[in-house]
C-alpha cells in the first residue's frame, strides 16, 4: 500500500473539510493506493457523533464523497464534482475505539462521467456503510491547468518546492524542466 501525497497542502485557500490537515474541524483524512482501491483509515471522536457514541450519517456521507473524489484524482488524473451520492447505512458505526477503514474504487468510466463504489468498515472488518457516487469529470487539460496554477501559487509563496530532473544525455527530461521553469517560477 502506497501513501498518496496531498498536492494541495500549502496552497492558499485550501481548507477541505475532508482532507485538509490544517482544518480544525475537518476529518484530516489521508489516502493510500492499494491496487485498484483508494484506502483511508480514520478514527472518529465525539465531535462527529449523532446519537451517543454513534457516528453521524452525514459524516459517513462526507467520508464516502471525499474518498470517491480521491479515486477520481488518482485513478483518472482529473478532478470533478459529485453529481449523485447514494449511501446505504447497514450497521451503526460506533465512535469509541473504532478505527475505520474506508475503501473506494472506480466501477465504470464513460466519457466525462465516473461511477464509483465505496465502503466503510469498522475495526472488526464489518461493512457498516456502502456508497455509490456519480461524478462529472473535468477534462484532463482543465485539471492539469488547475494543478499547475496551485503549484505556481505555492512555489511563489515559498510553501512548495517542485523538484525536476533532466539530463543532457539524449535530452531526456530537458524540455519538461524548461516547461516547469516557465510554469512555476516567477517571470523576470
Amino acid at each position: 500500500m502506497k501513501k498518496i501525497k496531498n498536492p494541495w497542502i500549502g496552497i492558499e485557500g485550501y481548507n477541505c473539510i475532508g482532507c485538509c490537515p490544517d482544518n480544525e474541524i475537518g476529518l484530516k483524512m489521508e489516502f493510500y493506493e492499494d491496487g485498484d482501491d483508494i484506502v483511508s483509515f480514520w478514527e472518529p471522536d465525539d465531535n462527529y457523533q449523532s446519537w451517543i457514541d454513534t457516528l453521524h450519517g452525514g459524516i459517513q456521507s462526507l467520508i464516502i464523497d471525499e474518498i470517491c473524489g480521491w479515486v477520481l484524482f488518482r485513478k483518472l488524473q482529473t478532478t470533478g464534482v459529485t453529481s449523485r451520492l447514494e449511501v446505504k447505512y447497514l450497521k451503526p458505526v460506533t465512535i469509541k475505539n473504532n478505527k475505520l477503514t474506508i475503501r473506494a474504487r472506480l466501477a465504470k468510466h464513460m466519457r466525462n462521467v465516473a461511477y464509483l463504489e465505496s465502503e466503510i468498515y469498522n475495526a472488526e472488518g464489518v461493512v457498516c456503510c456502502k456508497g455509490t457516487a456519480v461524478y462529472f469529470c473535468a477534462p484532463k487539460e482543465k485539471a492539469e491547468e488547475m494543478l499547475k496554477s496551485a503549484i505556481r501559487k505555492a512555489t511563489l509563496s515559498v510553501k512548495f518546492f517542485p523538484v525536476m530532473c533532466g539530463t543532457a544525455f539524449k535530452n531526456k527530461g530537458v524540455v519538461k524542466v524548461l516547461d516547469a521553469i516557465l510554469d512555476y517560477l516567477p517571470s523576470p
Side-chain angles (χ1 to χ4, degrees), residues 46-61:
D46 294 344
N47 292 313
Y48 304 109
Q49 71 178 346
S50 56
W51 184 242
I52 299 169
D53 294 333
T54 305
L55 184 62
H56 194 284
I59 299 298
Q60 293 176 58
S61 295

Side-chain angles (χ1 to χ4, degrees), residues 108-122:
K108 183 169 62 170
H109 182 222
M110 295 173 17
R111 290 190 213 152
N112 60 347
V113 179
Y115 299 84
L116 303 117
E117 300 171 341
S118 60
E119 305 86 32
I120 298 175
Y121 299 84
N122 65 16

Side-chain angles (χ1 to χ4, degrees), residues 24-83:
E24 292 179 20
I25 62 168
L27 305 183
K28 301 173 177 58
M29 294 173 72
E30 294 181 332
F31 301 92
Y32 301 83
E33 193 166 19
D34 185 23
D36 291 337
D37 285 6
I38 299 299
V39 181
S40 184
F41 305 100
W42 184 72
E43 194 162 351
D45 63 34
D46 294 344
N47 292 313
Y48 304 109
Q49 71 178 346
S50 56
W51 184 242
I52 299 169
D53 294 333
T54 305
L55 184 62
H56 194 284
I59 299 298
Q60 293 176 58
S61 295
L62 169 62
I63 289 168
I64 286 173
D65 190 31
E66 185 69 19
I67 198 164
C68 286
W70 277 79
V71 170
L72 202 68
F73 169 69
R74 184 64 181 182
K75 298 299 184 178
L76 298 180
Q77 302 290 302
T78 190
T79 186
V81 293
T82 311
S83 172

Side-chain angles (χ1 to χ4, degrees), residues 148-157 182-187:
K148 279 184 178 180
S149 174
I151 291 171
R152 180 175 172 79
K153 284 180 187 174
T155 302
L156 295 176
S157 64
L182 294 173
D183 289 339
Y184 308 133
L185 298 180
S187 300

